[in-house]
Amino acid sequence: MSDSTSNIISTILGGLGATVYATVGGIALTIVLAFLAGLAMLSRSRTVRFISRVYVEGFRGTSEVVQLFWLYFVLPALVGFKLVPLFAGIVVLGLNHGAYGAEIVRGAVQSVPPAQREGAVALSFSPAQRMFRVILPQAVVEMLPPFNNLFIQLMKSTALLYFISAGEITEKGELLRPVYGSQLVLIYGVELLCYLAIAVIITIVMRVLERVLSRRLGRAAPKRQNVWARAGAA
Amino acid sequence: MEWNWSYVWESIPLLLKGLLVTVELTLLGSAVAYVLGLVLALLRRARIPVLSQLVYLFIEVVRSTPLLIQVFFIFYLLWPALGITPSAFLTGVLALGIHYATYTSEVYRAGIDAIPKGQWEAATALSLPRSRVWTGIILPQAVPRLLPALGNYMISMFKETPLLLSIGVLEVLNRAKEQGAATFQVIEPYTLAGILFLLISYPSSILVRRLERRVGQL
């Protein structure tokens, strides 16, 4: 391998850490916010429903890049301190995808057959027991395929952190471009392979989770599929 | 720093100019995505051995990798390799169109698969030519049901256009950035950019939801 080739590959792989951090951190925040806002949208209190609606529509309605610019460039002007780029990125990725995830959680909880709820009432379960022992275990299995799509969407969005110089793959590649202009095929090729690999890993993890959780519910495990074939459209 | 209303009124004309570019990008990009998506869906169905697998691979690779890199790829690699220099705007339309075509192709595929088998059999019984089966029977039934999904992708595309500021397209966010750089006041232009997005995408998604309900009753 020539010097420039190994230099290109090692520089881009140097950004892999930041990309993985942003992806994992973003996914963790997404899960927390999606459950909070999704369950809040089903609350009996009008105020709680209203607040979660505002969060969901606000973050789904404005562009993700605009949110990133706002948090990174406007917030410092308002509060006087700047967030570390990678941290700011994780916050925006989580807030944005959490809003989309909230609809997934709400839809999945609503799709649990009403008889299940009635059965839990008949067994005089408390509302918390009803939710955590009966409704959610069934709803979570339904959420996994759409969450798989959402997480891959999130992983792709980490490329936007290029705009705030968080040191991830895309930024590394763009720093190499002026120097290694004749080797763009290699630069973009390595970047694409990194993203593809993460996407495949996310899909594999979600598939395994789906099999494990549906077996626990005593349901037939979903059929084995090609890892490339994600369920449904995003 | 404080919110300055006179600066807001000053910034609005410039941002609206950017919004027009954003809307143009979205409409042209969607047109590409809708046509190319149908082509991809039909190519995948066609029983041409290697081609349908290649189309499948193309769809999955484009869907699983960031749009931003695809923009860079076309702008810095593809155009120079072809020896042409189209504008950044055209690059944006093409990149958005190709990226979203991989999503719309899945929408078409699901819609075509949902057409009952009897319709195909009836067409065969009438010995209609293949092209007539598609244009006269299958697509007219499939497409109306797909409109909500296609509309949703147009809204997502609208919200992704700001990343084209990376190659210098003067859309809303880039105009806001320009304004901020000129005056060192970033709060108002960036906030306005967000509000402009909300003002268009929220009503649009309500319209799509209404369309969804109507299609559900078909």
Side-chain angles (χ1 to χ4, degrees):
Chain A
M1 214 173 357
S2 74
D3 255 10
S4 63
T5 306
S6 61
N7 192 10
I8 287 173
I9 294 176
S10 65
T11 306
I12 292 177
L13 291 183
L16 194 59
T19 297
V20 170
Y21 266 123
T23 306
V24 173
I27 287 177
L29 189 56
T30 294
I31 294 172
V32 172
L33 289 172
F35 274 91
L36 278 179
L39 295 178
M41 279 196 287
L42 297 167
S43 157
R44 271 195 217 140
S45 147
R46 269 186 89 114
T47 331
V48 173
R49 281 205 311 261
F50 179 75
I51 294 170
S52 52
R53 258 288 147 216
V54 169
Y55 160 64
V56 169
E57 297 300 344
F59 275 91
R60 293 202 314 172
T62 55
S63 165
E64 194 175 8
V65 192
V66 175
Q67 289 158 20
L68 189 68
F69 272 64
W70 204 92
L71 189 84
Y72 195 66
F73 298 112
V74 174
L75 205 64
L78 290 174
V79 299
F81 63 88
K82 210 165 187 154
L83 295 174
V84 178
L86 191 56
F87 182 70
I90 290 175
V91 170
V92 169
L93 290 173
L95 282 170
N96 185 284
H97 293 87
Y100 287 92
E103 291 286 7
I104 295 176
V105 171
R106 183 184 60 85
V109 168
Q110 279 179 332
S111 77
V112 174
Q116 296 286 331
R117 198 179 299 264
E118 288 154 17
V121 173
L123 292 169
S124 65
F125 277 15
S126 72
Q129 279 177 321
R130 215 187 302 156
M131 184 51 95
F132 289 102
R133 315 204 107 181
V134 180
I135 311 288
L136 274 185
Q138 301 182 59
V140 166
V141 176
E142 301 298 320
M143 292 175 204
L144 292 173
F147 265 126
N148 186 9
N149 281 325
L150 187 69
F151 293 162
I152 287 171
Q153 212 73 303
L154 185 147
M155 183 276 297
K156 291 193 294 175
S157 294
T158 60
L160 301 178
L161 303 193
Y162 152 76
F163 290 117
I164 58 170
S165 308
E168 44 63 65
I169 294 171
T170 309
E171 191 200 344
K172 299 280 183 196
E174 286 310 287
L175 291 176
L176 287 171
R177 186 170 51 77
V179 190
Y180 298 103
S182 58
Q183 284 181 286
L184 287 180
V185 175
L186 179 67
I187 294 179
Y188 290 127
V190 174
E191 287 179 36
L192 291 180
L193 281 179
C194 288
Y195 286 110
L196 270 178
I198 305 176
V200 169
I201 292 171
I202 292 174
T203 300
I204 292 174
V205 170
M206 297 299 280
R207 289 278 166 73
V208 169
L209 263 180
E210 205 180 331
R211 296 180 74 82
V212 170
L213 292 184
S214 40
R215 199 171 305 144
R216 270 218 200 151
L217 283 180
R219 288 187 195 168
K223 262 192 223 142
R224 268 182 198 286
Q225 277 172 312
N226 185 338
V227 279
W228 291 106
R230 266 180 257 138
Chain B
M1 270 201 207
E2 270 180 27
W3 184 265
N4 182 343
W5 279 109
S6 65
Y7 179 43
V8 169
W9 301 127
E10 230 173 86
S11 312
I12 284 181
L14 199 69
L15 289 180
L16 285 180
K17 238 192 243 173
L19 188 65
L20 188 67
V21 175
T22 297
V23 171
E24 283 169 3
L25 280 168
T26 309
L27 293 178
L28 291 173
S30 301
V32 174
Y34 295 160
V35 174
L36 186 62
L38 183 59
V39 172
L40 288 177
L42 294 179
L43 281 179
R44 244 194 97 176
R45 279 186 74 89
R47 293 204 186 86
I48 311 167
V50 185
L51 188 71
S52 56
Q53 265 115 22
L54 279 180
V55 171
Y56 178 54
L57 188 70
F58 174 79
I59 290 173
E60 283 308 321
V61 169
V62 172
R63 252 158 58 103
S64 316
T65 54
L67 173 60
L68 185 60
I69 297 200
Q70 288 153 18
V71 170
F72 289 148
F73 184 87
I74 295 177
F75 197 62
Y76 295 118
L77 182 66
L78 188 64
W79 296 150
L82 296 174
I84 47 176
T85 44
S87 66
F89 180 85
L90 206 66
T91 307
V93 168
L94 204 72
L96 286 168
I98 293 174
H99 190 81
Y100 277 90
T102 59
Y103 288 100
T104 56
S105 77
E106 294 290 300
V107 173
Y108 287 119
R109 189 170 68 100
I112 293 168
D113 286 347
I115 299 292
K117 238 172 109 191
Q119 299 285 327
W120 292 98
E121 289 163 358
T124 312
L126 292 169
S127 65
L128 288 173
R130 198 101 183 114
S131 59
R132 195 73 193 97
V133 176
W134 281 103
T135 56
I137 298 176
I138 306 302
L139 291 179
Q141 292 187 78
V143 171
R145 286 163 199 275
L146 305 179
L147 288 179
L150 295 179
N152 275 328
Y153 281 122
M154 191 191 278
I155 299 173
S156 320
M157 186 189 289
F158 173 69
K159 287 179 291 189
E160 281 209 74
T161 52
L163 60 82
L164 294 174
L165 75 90
S166 60
I167 54 168
V169 180
L170 282 172
E171 44 64 61
V172 185
L173 189 63
N174 210 357
R175 289 287 187 184
K177 197 177 153 201
E178 250 187 9
Q179 187 76 339
T183 57
F184 298 108
Q185 287 257 52
V186 291
I187 304 177
E188 294 88 348
Y190 284 148
T191 308
L192 279 177
I195 293 172
L196 286 178
F197 273 100
L198 195 62
L199 282 181
I200 292 195
S201 70
Y202 186 54
S204 318
S205 60
I206 291 177
L207 284 180
V208 170
R209 241 174 274 164
R210 215 174 272 173
L211 186 65
E212 244 159 28
R213 235 169 285 147
R214 188 163 313 166
V215 168
Q217 286 162 358
L218 274 181

